[in-house]
Amino acid sequence: MTKTLPSTSRSLPIALIRAREGVMAPIREMLAETGITEQQWRVLRVLAEFGVMDAKTLADRSSLLFPSLTRIAATLRDKGLVTQTRDDKDRRRQFIQITQAGQKIIDDRAGQAAQIVAGFKSTLGAREYETLLDLLARLDPGADG
Amino acid sequence: MTKTLPSTSRSLPIALIRAREGVMAPIREMLAETGITEQQWRVLRVLAEFGVMDAKTLADRSSLLFPSLTRIAATLRDKGLVTQTRDDKDRRRQFIQITQAGQKIIDDRAGQAAQIVAGFKSTLGAREYETLLDLLARLDPGADG
DNA sequence: ATCATTTCATTAACATGTTAATTGTTGCGA
DNA sequence: TCGCAACAATTAACATGTTAATGAAATGAT
């Protein structure tokens, strides 16, 4: 027998897109005031959390493809929000570090961003929020499970 | 007190991105053989499910922004997969319809796509799969709830 | 009828997603 | 040492995401 596709209204890929749009809309609105994009914010957040790291690790932790990170890092460097330095031991490699200006953006907006996320958590309820994160993690092949 | 951001590993936006990547990877792989993109596939699926419709409705049902749909519709028209006709009553409007060639792509791949989705459903379990769709819908401001 | 407003659609400009090709380095084995 | 595979990073090329500006057509008030 031939399986039929689910109606688009119950399609998992489309549901993921719409949920992401719903969550990102207020965050993008907040970030618009800072002049940086959602992806640039993600990179700065990872750098703020883990400190200096090589580009490959940064791309992985930011969930960005390498070509995207190349462009984003150049943009952030031009804005003075990160610095790039070559590894003297292995000159193919590059280290990326957040600057004070970059850290200030994180510090200034972290509370606001946390409130937005807290809003969604209270919308779903703390218990279902955790359930959602667990289920999403199980769709990610990069995760443990 | 100031709330702190969740660790990026438990960030809802990042979890949504990674889950979407996990789900889309095998679908993109399948679509690569057909020469159409994920978004083009989404447009064709909506047209196959609902039939001819105006561009605005199509953009909405495909979860695409209007400028994106404009380009995608032009691409699909050039490939002979859809037709575009002006509304004689209101010449601003445009109707878009799937062609036989477009329908054939859907018919040829629908089973394969359904199997991929079924794989995720069995990974999570039918019950949790439905729970996930419900939770995702509650993050979408466009939905009812 | 005329003008301002609204609506549908396209276009522009820039950033990112995605795959493939290319460049510069390192390391290893013949 | 030479040559080559492997790796890090960039660049290229095309498609899409996103916001803003613009064009084109309908609507409504006066």
Side-chain angles (χ1 to χ4, degrees), chain A residues 21 28 55-56 66-67 70-71 86 92-94:
Chain A
E21 169 56 27
R28 263 204 304 276
K56 199 150 206 170
F66 215 106
T70 294
R71 290 176 301 210
R86 288 241 159 263
R92 290 171 300 185
R93 275 191 200 151
Q94 179 191 154

